[in-house]
Amino acid sequence: MFPACLKLESRRVIVIGGGRVAAGKIDALLAAGAEVTVIAPEVRPEIERAGVTVQNRAFEDADLDGAWWVVAAAPPDVNRRVLEAANQRRIFVNAVDDPAHATAYAGGVVRRDGVTVAISTDGRAPAIAGLLREAIDAWLPRDLDAWMAAADEARRLWKD
């Protein structure tokens, strides 16, 4: 596995599936500035909101044209089709709770004051990733914003 953080601002992200799991992924995508399109025959009411385009229908391979990232939160047979279409387009797929149909994993993430810490179990143990996320969050200093401000100033001075 190669860890990376994706800059999704103003990039097209497709979410396949309209259930609870899909809904749980959307907040982080919107916070990253992604242009989110959800494709599913039925979607939960909380998915239909500002910043999200909803297409109430079944997945079609062409839905991935122009996408930068795909979240597959559908039944395994649909996730398999999404993976096949994504592979043809060289797009990574986060198939939620379905590692067999994923090429990328979104583990536990701690975000605070400009610091991002991500934990992955290669899709094998999401609960452990969640526990580690909570432990790391508790361990990080509460004045992390002051640490970041000092680092910003030190870097500015070093560049000058």
Side-chain angles (χ1 to χ4, degrees), residues 13-47:
V13 174
I14 306 298
V15 177
I16 307 299
R20 180 187 52 80
V21 174
K25 296 294 181 180
I26 291 173
D27 285 338
L29 294 170
L30 292 174
E35 295 175 0
V36 178
T37 298
V38 175
I39 300 169
E42 296 179 30
V43 298
R44 294 174 67 97
E46 63 267 29
I47 289 176

PDB file of all heavy atoms in Angstrom, residues 13-47:
ATOM      1  N   VAL A  13     -16.201  13.795  -8.080  1.00  0.00           N
ATOM      2  CA  VAL A  13     -16.177  12.552  -7.314  1.00  0.00           C
ATOM      3  C   VAL A  13     -17.548  11.901  -7.439  1.00  0.00           C
ATOM      4  O   VAL A  13     -18.577  12.556  -7.251  1.00  0.00           O
ATOM      5  CB  VAL A  13     -15.842  12.805  -5.829  1.00  0.00           C
ATOM      6  CG1 VAL A  13     -15.965  11.533  -5.014  1.00  0.00           C
ATOM      7  CG2 VAL A  13     -14.441  13.393  -5.696  1.00  0.00           C
ATOM      8  N   ILE A  14     -17.545  10.615  -7.748  1.00  0.00           N
ATOM      9  CA  ILE A  14     -18.789   9.878  -7.926  1.00  0.00           C
ATOM     10  C   ILE A  14     -18.981   8.944  -6.740  1.00  0.00           C
ATOM     11  O   ILE A  14     -18.063   8.216  -6.360  1.00  0.00           O
ATOM     12  CB  ILE A  14     -18.758   9.038  -9.226  1.00  0.00           C
ATOM     13  CG1 ILE A  14     -18.407   9.903 -10.434  1.00  0.00           C
ATOM     14  CG2 ILE A  14     -20.075   8.295  -9.419  1.00  0.00           C
ATOM     15  CD1 ILE A  14     -19.384  11.009 -10.723  1.00  0.00           C
ATOM     16  N   VAL A  15     -20.163   8.967  -6.172  1.00  0.00           N
ATOM     17  CA  VAL A  15     -20.542   8.036  -5.109  1.00  0.00           C
ATOM     18  C   VAL A  15     -21.634   7.139  -5.683  1.00  0.00           C
ATOM     19  O   VAL A  15     -22.681   7.627  -6.107  1.00  0.00           O
ATOM     20  CB  VAL A  15     -21.052   8.764  -3.854  1.00  0.00           C
ATOM     21  CG1 VAL A  15     -21.511   7.771  -2.796  1.00  0.00           C
ATOM     22  CG2 VAL A  15     -19.979   9.687  -3.287  1.00  0.00           C
ATOM     23  N   ILE A  16     -21.356   5.840  -5.696  1.00  0.00           N
ATOM     24  CA  ILE A  16     -22.333   4.878  -6.198  1.00  0.00           C
ATOM     25  C   ILE A  16     -22.988   4.234  -4.984  1.00  0.00           C
ATOM     26  O   ILE A  16     -22.332   3.576  -4.185  1.00  0.00           O
ATOM     27  CB  ILE A  16     -21.676   3.784  -7.063  1.00  0.00           C
ATOM     28  CG1 ILE A  16     -20.836   4.397  -8.186  1.00  0.00           C
ATOM     29  CG2 ILE A  16     -22.735   2.829  -7.607  1.00  0.00           C
ATOM     30  CD1 ILE A  16     -21.593   5.260  -9.167  1.00  0.00           C
ATOM     31  N   GLY A  17     -24.276   4.469  -4.835  1.00  0.00           N
ATOM     32  CA  GLY A  17     -25.019   3.971  -3.686  1.00  0.00           C
ATOM     33  C   GLY A  17     -25.680   5.134  -2.968  1.00  0.00           C
ATOM     34  O   GLY A  17     -25.128   6.234  -2.931  1.00  0.00           O
ATOM     35  N   GLY A  18     -26.846   4.877  -2.412  1.00  0.00           N
ATOM     36  CA  GLY A  18     -27.587   5.951  -1.760  1.00  0.00           C
ATOM     37  C   GLY A  18     -28.017   5.630  -0.352  1.00  0.00           C
ATOM     38  O   GLY A  18     -28.906   6.284   0.186  1.00  0.00           O
ATOM     39  N   GLY A  19     -27.382   4.660   0.261  1.00  0.00           N
ATOM     40  CA  GLY A  19     -27.758   4.244   1.610  1.00  0.00           C
ATOM     41  C   GLY A  19     -26.958   4.931   2.705  1.00  0.00           C
ATOM     42  O   GLY A  19     -26.276   5.935   2.480  1.00  0.00           O
ATOM     43  N   ARG A  20     -27.036   4.350   3.898  1.00  0.00           N
ATOM     44  CA  ARG A  20     -26.379   4.900   5.093  1.00  0.00           C
ATOM     45  C   ARG A  20     -24.870   5.019   4.902  1.00  0.00           C
ATOM     46  O   ARG A  20     -24.266   6.021   5.269  1.00  0.00           O
ATOM     47  CB  ARG A  20     -26.703   4.011   6.300  1.00  0.00           C
ATOM     48  CG  ARG A  20     -26.096   4.461   7.606  1.00  0.00           C
ATOM     49  CD  ARG A  20     -26.328   3.445   8.717  1.00  0.00           C
ATOM     50  NE  ARG A  20     -25.925   2.093   8.359  1.00  0.00           N
ATOM     51  CZ  ARG A  20     -24.656   1.648   8.384  1.00  0.00           C
ATOM     52  NH1 ARG A  20     -23.694   2.442   8.729  1.00  0.00           N
ATOM     53  NH2 ARG A  20     -24.385   0.399   8.043  1.00  0.00           N
ATOM     54  N   VAL A  21     -24.251   4.000   4.320  1.00  0.00           N
ATOM     55  CA  VAL A  21     -22.797   4.004   4.133  1.00  0.00           C
ATOM     56  C   VAL A  21     -22.388   5.120   3.175  1.00  0.00           C
ATOM     57  O   VAL A  21     -21.435   5.858   3.436  1.00  0.00           O
ATOM     58  CB  VAL A  21     -22.316   2.627   3.643  1.00  0.00           C
ATOM     59  CG1 VAL A  21     -20.841   2.652   3.311  1.00  0.00           C
ATOM     60  CG2 VAL A  21     -22.605   1.565   4.702  1.00  0.00           C
ATOM     61  N   ALA A  22     -23.087   5.265   2.087  1.00  0.00           N
ATOM     62  CA  ALA A  22     -22.796   6.344   1.134  1.00  0.00           C
ATOM     63  C   ALA A  22     -22.971   7.701   1.798  1.00  0.00           C
ATOM     64  O   ALA A  22     -22.122   8.588   1.643  1.00  0.00           O
ATOM     65  CB  ALA A  22     -23.701   6.224  -0.087  1.00  0.00           C
ATOM     66  N   ALA A  23     -24.057   7.853   2.541  1.00  0.00           N
ATOM     67  CA  ALA A  23     -24.319   9.123   3.224  1.00  0.00           C
ATOM     68  C   ALA A  23     -23.180   9.481   4.166  1.00  0.00           C
ATOM     69  O   ALA A  23     -22.794  10.653   4.291  1.00  0.00           O
ATOM     70  CB  ALA A  23     -25.639   9.045   3.988  1.00  0.00           C
ATOM     71  N   GLY A  24     -22.597   8.475   4.813  1.00  0.00           N
ATOM     72  CA  GLY A  24     -21.515   8.712   5.750  1.00  0.00           C
ATOM     73  C   GLY A  24     -20.229   9.194   5.102  1.00  0.00           C
ATOM     74  O   GLY A  24     -19.373   9.773   5.768  1.00  0.00           O
ATOM     75  N   LYS A  25     -20.060   8.983   3.829  1.00  0.00           N
ATOM     76  CA  LYS A  25     -18.846   9.409   3.117  1.00  0.00           C
ATOM     77  C   LYS A  25     -18.946  10.826   2.565  1.00  0.00           C
ATOM     78  O   LYS A  25     -17.945  11.467   2.281  1.00  0.00           O
ATOM     79  CB  LYS A  25     -18.542   8.451   1.956  1.00  0.00           C
ATOM     80  CG  LYS A  25     -18.215   7.051   2.400  1.00  0.00           C
ATOM     81  CD  LYS A  25     -16.923   7.029   3.173  1.00  0.00           C
ATOM     82  CE  LYS A  25     -16.554   5.630   3.612  1.00  0.00           C
ATOM     83  NZ  LYS A  25     -15.300   5.612   4.359  1.00  0.00           N
ATOM     84  N   ILE A  26     -20.155  11.318   2.408  1.00  0.00           N
ATOM     85  CA  ILE A  26     -20.359  12.577   1.682  1.00  0.00           C
ATOM     86  C   ILE A  26     -19.829  13.794   2.426  1.00  0.00           C
ATOM     87  O   ILE A  26     -19.230  14.683   1.814  1.00  0.00           O
ATOM     88  CB  ILE A  26     -21.842  12.725   1.291  1.00  0.00           C
ATOM     89  CG1 ILE A  26     -22.157  11.662   0.228  1.00  0.00           C
ATOM     90  CG2 ILE A  26     -22.145  14.121   0.786  1.00  0.00           C
ATOM     91  CD1 ILE A  26     -23.616  11.564  -0.137  1.00  0.00           C
ATOM     92  N   ASP A  27     -19.992  13.869   3.735  1.00  0.00           N
ATOM     93  CA  ASP A  27     -19.517  15.039   4.485  1.00  0.00           C
ATOM     94  C   ASP A  27     -18.029  15.291   4.260  1.00  0.00           C
ATOM     95  O   ASP A  27     -17.611  16.430   4.022  1.00  0.00           O
ATOM     96  CB  ASP A  27     -19.798  14.890   5.980  1.00  0.00           C
ATOM     97  CG  ASP A  27     -21.260  15.113   6.330  1.00  0.00           C
ATOM     98  OD1 ASP A  27     -21.980  15.765   5.549  1.00  0.00           O
ATOM     99  OD2 ASP A  27     -21.679  14.639   7.396  1.00  0.00           O
ATOM    100  N   ALA A  28     -17.220  14.235   4.353  1.00  0.00           N
ATOM    101  CA  ALA A  28     -15.771  14.396   4.169  1.00  0.00           C
ATOM    102  C   ALA A  28     -15.446  14.827   2.743  1.00  0.00           C
ATOM    103  O   ALA A  28     -14.538  15.647   2.530  1.00  0.00           O
ATOM    104  CB  ALA A  28     -15.046  13.103   4.521  1.00  0.00           C
ATOM    105  N   LEU A  29     -16.169  14.303   1.763  1.00  0.00           N
ATOM    106  CA  LEU A  29     -15.937  14.701   0.374  1.00  0.00           C
ATOM    107  C   LEU A  29     -16.279  16.171   0.155  1.00  0.00           C
ATOM    108  O   LEU A  29     -15.527  16.907  -0.485  1.00  0.00           O
ATOM    109  CB  LEU A  29     -16.745  13.817  -0.574  1.00  0.00           C
ATOM    110  CG  LEU A  29     -16.322  12.343  -0.615  1.00  0.00           C
ATOM    111  CD1 LEU A  29     -17.350  11.517  -1.393  1.00  0.00           C
ATOM    112  CD2 LEU A  29     -14.931  12.201  -1.217  1.00  0.00           C
ATOM    113  N   LEU A  30     -17.403  16.611   0.717  1.00  0.00           N
ATOM    114  CA  LEU A  30     -17.786  18.015   0.602  1.00  0.00           C
ATOM    115  C   LEU A  30     -16.798  18.921   1.338  1.00  0.00           C
ATOM    116  O   LEU A  30     -16.434  19.990   0.846  1.00  0.00           O
ATOM    117  CB  LEU A  30     -19.206  18.228   1.129  1.00  0.00           C
ATOM    118  CG  LEU A  30     -20.329  17.606   0.299  1.00  0.00           C
ATOM    119  CD1 LEU A  30     -21.662  17.767   1.009  1.00  0.00           C
ATOM    120  CD2 LEU A  30     -20.374  18.213  -1.100  1.00  0.00           C
ATOM    121  N   ALA A  31     -16.338  18.478   2.514  1.00  0.00           N
ATOM    122  CA  ALA A  31     -15.359  19.259   3.278  1.00  0.00           C
ATOM    123  C   ALA A  31     -14.052  19.412   2.498  1.00  0.00           C
ATOM    124  O   ALA A  31     -13.353  20.407   2.639  1.00  0.00           O
ATOM    125  CB  ALA A  31     -15.098  18.604   4.631  1.00  0.00           C
ATOM    126  N   ALA A  32     -13.738  18.431   1.657  1.00  0.00           N
ATOM    127  CA  ALA A  32     -12.534  18.491   0.824  1.00  0.00           C
ATOM    128  C   ALA A  32     -12.760  19.346  -0.421  1.00  0.00           C
ATOM    129  O   ALA A  32     -11.834  19.552  -1.199  1.00  0.00           O
ATOM    130  CB  ALA A  32     -12.100  17.085   0.423  1.00  0.00           C
ATOM    131  N   GLY A  33     -13.985  19.825  -0.621  1.00  0.00           N
ATOM    132  CA  GLY A  33     -14.284  20.674  -1.767  1.00  0.00           C
ATOM    133  C   GLY A  33     -14.616  19.927  -3.038  1.00  0.00           C
ATOM    134  O   GLY A  33     -14.639  20.513  -4.119  1.00  0.00           O
ATOM    135  N   ALA A  34     -14.873  18.624  -2.916  1.00  0.00           N
ATOM    136  CA  ALA A  34     -15.184  17.816  -4.100  1.00  0.00           C
ATOM    137  C   ALA A  34     -16.541  18.196  -4.685  1.00  0.00           C
ATOM    138  O   ALA A  34     -17.435  18.652  -3.968  1.00  0.00           O
ATOM    139  CB  ALA A  34     -15.180  16.336  -3.730  1.00  0.00           C
ATOM    140  N   GLU A  35     -16.665  17.992  -5.986  1.00  0.00           N
ATOM    141  CA  GLU A  35     -17.950  18.127  -6.670  1.00  0.00           C
ATOM    142  C   GLU A  35     -18.565  16.730  -6.678  1.00  0.00           C
ATOM    143  O   GLU A  35     -18.159  15.870  -7.459  1.00  0.00           O
ATOM    144  CB  GLU A  35     -17.758  18.657  -8.082  1.00  0.00           C
ATOM    145  CG  GLU A  35     -17.198  20.067  -8.105  1.00  0.00           C
ATOM    146  CD  GLU A  35     -16.897  20.574  -9.500  1.00  0.00           C
ATOM    147  OE1 GLU A  35     -17.119  19.834 -10.491  1.00  0.00           O
ATOM    148  OE2 GLU A  35     -16.406  21.709  -9.598  1.00  0.00           O
ATOM    149  N   VAL A  36     -19.520  16.505  -5.794  1.00  0.00           N
ATOM    150  CA  VAL A  36     -20.038  15.161  -5.527  1.00  0.00           C
ATOM    151  C   VAL A  36     -21.302  14.882  -6.330  1.00  0.00           C
ATOM    152  O   VAL A  36     -22.257  15.659  -6.304  1.00  0.00           O
ATOM    153  CB  VAL A  36     -20.337  14.985  -4.018  1.00  0.00           C
ATOM    154  CG1 VAL A  36     -20.918  13.612  -3.742  1.00  0.00           C
ATOM    155  CG2 VAL A  36     -19.071  15.213  -3.205  1.00  0.00           C
ATOM    156  N   THR A  37     -21.281  13.737  -7.022  1.00  0.00           N
ATOM    157  CA  THR A  37     -22.463  13.221  -7.705  1.00  0.00           C
ATOM    158  C   THR A  37     -22.767  11.853  -7.133  1.00  0.00           C
ATOM    159  O   THR A  37     -21.892  10.992  -7.074  1.00  0.00           O
ATOM    160  CB  THR A  37     -22.236  13.105  -9.222  1.00  0.00           C
ATOM    161  OG1 THR A  37     -21.977  14.407  -9.752  1.00  0.00           O
ATOM    162  CG2 THR A  37     -23.454  12.516  -9.922  1.00  0.00           C
ATOM    163  N   VAL A  38     -23.997  11.663  -6.675  1.00  0.00           N
ATOM    164  CA  VAL A  38     -24.443  10.374  -6.137  1.00  0.00           C
ATOM    165  C   VAL A  38     -25.344   9.718  -7.166  1.00  0.00           C
ATOM    166  O   VAL A  38     -26.277  10.345  -7.671  1.00  0.00           O
ATOM    167  CB  VAL A  38     -25.201  10.565  -4.800  1.00  0.00           C
ATOM    168  CG1 VAL A  38     -25.767   9.246  -4.300  1.00  0.00           C
ATOM    169  CG2 VAL A  38     -24.294  11.198  -3.762  1.00  0.00           C
ATOM    170  N   ILE A  39     -25.057   8.448  -7.442  1.00  0.00           N
ATOM    171  CA  ILE A  39     -25.853   7.689  -8.409  1.00  0.00           C
ATOM    172  C   ILE A  39     -26.391   6.447  -7.714  1.00  0.00           C
ATOM    173  O   ILE A  39     -25.620   5.612  -7.234  1.00  0.00           O
ATOM    174  CB  ILE A  39     -25.019   7.308  -9.633  1.00  0.00           C
ATOM    175  CG1 ILE A  39     -24.508   8.586 -10.312  1.00  0.00           C
ATOM    176  CG2 ILE A  39     -25.834   6.449 -10.598  1.00  0.00           C
ATOM    177  CD1 ILE A  39     -23.466   8.359 -11.369  1.00  0.00           C
ATOM    178  N   ALA A  40     -27.711   6.362  -7.630  1.00  0.00           N
ATOM    179  CA  ALA A  40     -28.372   5.210  -7.002  1.00  0.00           C
ATOM    180  C   ALA A  40     -29.853   5.262  -7.333  1.00  0.00           C
ATOM    181  O   ALA A  40     -30.424   6.350  -7.475  1.00  0.00           O
ATOM    182  CB  ALA A  40     -28.179   5.236  -5.494  1.00  0.00           C
ATOM    183  N   PRO A  41     -30.481   4.094  -7.444  1.00  0.00           N
ATOM    184  CA  PRO A  41     -31.920   4.086  -7.716  1.00  0.00           C
ATOM    185  C   PRO A  41     -32.721   4.789  -6.622  1.00  0.00           C
ATOM    186  O   PRO A  41     -33.714   5.446  -6.900  1.00  0.00           O
ATOM    187  CB  PRO A  41     -32.276   2.597  -7.780  1.00  0.00           C
ATOM    188  CG  PRO A  41     -30.992   1.918  -8.106  1.00  0.00           C
ATOM    189  CD  PRO A  41     -29.907   2.743  -7.459  1.00  0.00           C
ATOM    190  N   GLU A  42     -32.268   4.653  -5.379  1.00  0.00           N
ATOM    191  CA  GLU A  42     -32.921   5.318  -4.242  1.00  0.00           C
ATOM    192  C   GLU A  42     -31.842   5.899  -3.350  1.00  0.00           C
ATOM    193  O   GLU A  42     -30.796   5.290  -3.168  1.00  0.00           O
ATOM    194  CB  GLU A  42     -33.749   4.327  -3.432  1.00  0.00           C
ATOM    195  CG  GLU A  42     -34.907   3.731  -4.192  1.00  0.00           C
ATOM    196  CD  GLU A  42     -35.678   2.723  -3.350  1.00  0.00           C
ATOM    197  OE1 GLU A  42     -35.710   2.875  -2.117  1.00  0.00           O
ATOM    198  OE2 GLU A  42     -36.232   1.784  -3.936  1.00  0.00           O
ATOM    199  N   VAL A  43     -32.092   7.093  -2.780  1.00  0.00           N
ATOM    200  CA  VAL A  43     -31.138   7.708  -1.862  1.00  0.00           C
ATOM    201  C   VAL A  43     -31.825   8.140  -0.580  1.00  0.00           C
ATOM    202  O   VAL A  43     -33.007   8.497  -0.587  1.00  0.00           O
ATOM    203  CB  VAL A  43     -30.407   8.916  -2.490  1.00  0.00           C
ATOM    204  CG1 VAL A  43     -29.595   8.513  -3.700  1.00  0.00           C
ATOM    205  CG2 VAL A  43     -31.373  10.022  -2.832  1.00  0.00           C
ATOM    206  N   ARG A  44     -31.057   8.103   0.501  1.00  0.00           N
ATOM    207  CA  ARG A  44     -31.560   8.565   1.790  1.00  0.00           C
ATOM    208  C   ARG A  44     -31.788  10.082   1.725  1.00  0.00           C
ATOM    209  O   ARG A  44     -31.076  10.784   1.004  1.00  0.00           O
ATOM    210  CB  ARG A  44     -30.568   8.232   2.892  1.00  0.00           C
ATOM    211  CG  ARG A  44     -30.424   6.743   3.120  1.00  0.00           C
ATOM    212  CD  ARG A  44     -29.328   6.472   4.130  1.00  0.00           C
ATOM    213  NE  ARG A  44     -29.666   6.949   5.462  1.00  0.00           N
ATOM    214  CZ  ARG A  44     -30.178   6.182   6.422  1.00  0.00           C
ATOM    215  NH1 ARG A  44     -30.401   4.897   6.187  1.00  0.00           N
ATOM    216  NH2 ARG A  44     -30.447   6.683   7.604  1.00  0.00           N
ATOM    217  N   PRO A  45     -32.755  10.590   2.467  1.00  0.00           N
ATOM    218  CA  PRO A  45     -33.052  12.029   2.410  1.00  0.00           C
ATOM    219  C   PRO A  45     -31.853  12.922   2.735  1.00  0.00           C
ATOM    220  O   PRO A  45     -31.694  13.982   2.133  1.00  0.00           O
ATOM    221  CB  PRO A  45     -34.163  12.206   3.455  1.00  0.00           C
ATOM    222  CG  PRO A  45     -34.765  10.855   3.616  1.00  0.00           C
ATOM    223  CD  PRO A  45     -33.678   9.873   3.333  1.00  0.00           C
ATOM    224  N   GLU A  46     -30.978  12.509   3.660  1.00  0.00           N
ATOM    225  CA  GLU A  46     -29.847  13.370   4.042  1.00  0.00           C
ATOM    226  C   GLU A  46     -28.811  13.518   2.926  1.00  0.00           C
ATOM    227  O   GLU A  46     -27.961  14.401   2.981  1.00  0.00           O
ATOM    228  CB  GLU A  46     -29.166  12.868   5.327  1.00  0.00           C
ATOM    229  CG  GLU A  46     -28.533  11.513   5.230  1.00  0.00           C
ATOM    230  CD  GLU A  46     -29.439  10.374   5.671  1.00  0.00           C
ATOM    231  OE1 GLU A  46     -30.682  10.482   5.541  1.00  0.00           O
ATOM    232  OE2 GLU A  46     -28.911   9.364   6.141  1.00  0.00           O
ATOM    233  N   ILE A  47     -28.884  12.692   1.915  1.00  0.00           N
ATOM    234  CA  ILE A  47     -27.946  12.809   0.790  1.00  0.00           C
ATOM    235  C   ILE A  47     -28.360  13.951  -0.126  1.00  0.00           C
ATOM    236  O   ILE A  47     -27.516  14.637  -0.706  1.00  0.00           O
ATOM    237  CB  ILE A  47     -27.875  11.474   0.011  1.00  0.00           C
ATOM    238  CG1 ILE A  47     -27.145  10.434   0.863  1.00  0.00           C
ATOM    239  CG2 ILE A  47     -27.198  11.656  -1.345  1.00  0.00           C
ATOM    240  CD1 ILE A  47     -27.095   9.049   0.255  1.00  0.00           C
TER     241      ILE A  47
END
